[in-house]
Amino acid sequence: MSSFGKWSQQGVPQKGWTCIGFEDLGEPATQCEMCESQDIRYVHQMQHPDYPHILECGCVCAGKMEEDYAAASKRESDSKNLAQRRGRWLTRKWKVSQNGNHYLKTDGFHIVVFPRDIGWSGTITRLSTDVTTQARRLYDTQDKAKLGAFDGMIWLKATE
């Protein structure tokens, strides 16, 4: 394989790609499938109508492929910010209800975590609609339930 990876391969489009997904691996754990030389942590899943495979690419290649480096860079920046926010989530000042349950009101949500017979659960209520979502699983610890609630809140925000 040449040092330019798929960039120099015939039949591989260089422009007109669309990012259809994004993943933070937590650390550089794979190699960009376009340049085949950059170790990447943030994976942009790129799709092209004239290419049969989805390629997992780094920010620079993804930006070139979709001809929008700012969009690729924003995906990474948003992911980094979210990871930092999640890392601080447990250090937030959680209030305690009269029932002894920890809760937070943040980002337009009321989040409550509480013990069950065999673990921890929680609810997330969207304050604007009063719609409550119950955790779909039990967690081993209160902290894991709080992190699960964070992930749930982020998912609910994305579905607004």
Side-chain angles (χ1 to χ4, degrees):
M1 194 61 53
S2 79
S3 62
F4 297 112
K6 288 184 177 58
W7 285 113
S8 60
Q9 275 186 13
Q10 196 165 2
V12 179
Q14 295 193 7
K15 298 177 181 177
W17 292 78
T18 302
C19 183
I20 61 165
F22 181 86
E23 185 178 4
D24 176 359
L25 301 178
E27 63 182 34
T30 192
Q31 198 170 69
C32 174
E33 291 183 325
M34 190 64 162
C35 67
E36 299 175 348
S37 65
Q38 185 67 42
D39 291 332
I40 58 174
R41 168 182 173 166
Y42 301 99
V43 178
H44 304 253
Q45 291 138 359
M46 306 301 291
Q47 184 176 45
H48 195 284
D50 299 328
Y51 192 74
H53 306 291
I54 293 169
L55 297 181
E56 295 189 337
C57 303
C59 184
V60 173
C61 286
K64 288 178 184 177
M65 294 162 77
E66 65 185 323
E67 298 179 273
D68 189 350
Y69 182 76
S73 182
K74 184 175 181 344
R75 283 191 294 272
E76 282 200 18
S77 177
D78 289 350
S79 180
K80 289 173 185 176
N81 291 339
L82 189 62
Q84 289 172 348
R85 186 170 176 206
R86 190 177 195 274
R88 294 187 304 268
W89 186 249
L90 296 177
T91 65
R92 294 199 52 170
K93 181 88 170 131
W94 289 71
K95 295 181 180 180
V96 180
S97 72
Q98 289 181 338
N99 295 335
N101 299 324
H102 285 213
Y103 73 94
L104 272 180
K105 285 187 180 179
T106 185
D107 292 63
F109 294 93
H110 182 238
I111 299 167
V112 183
V113 295
F114 46 86
R116 301 294 272 201
D117 293 338
I118 54 169
W120 289 83
S121 189
T123 59
I124 304 171
T125 303
R126 187 184 303 269
L127 296 174
S128 63
T129 62
D130 224 23
V131 173
T132 298
T133 303
Q134 172 73 41
R136 291 190 174 100
R137 59 173 289 208
L138 288 175
Y139 296 89
D140 295 340
T141 66
Q142 183 181 53
D143 282 351
K144 287 180 181 177
K146 287 178 178 180
L147 289 171
F150 175 83
D151 295 340
M153 178 188 71
I154 297 304
W155 183 84
L156 287 169
K157 285 176 74 166
T159 62
E160 288 184 310

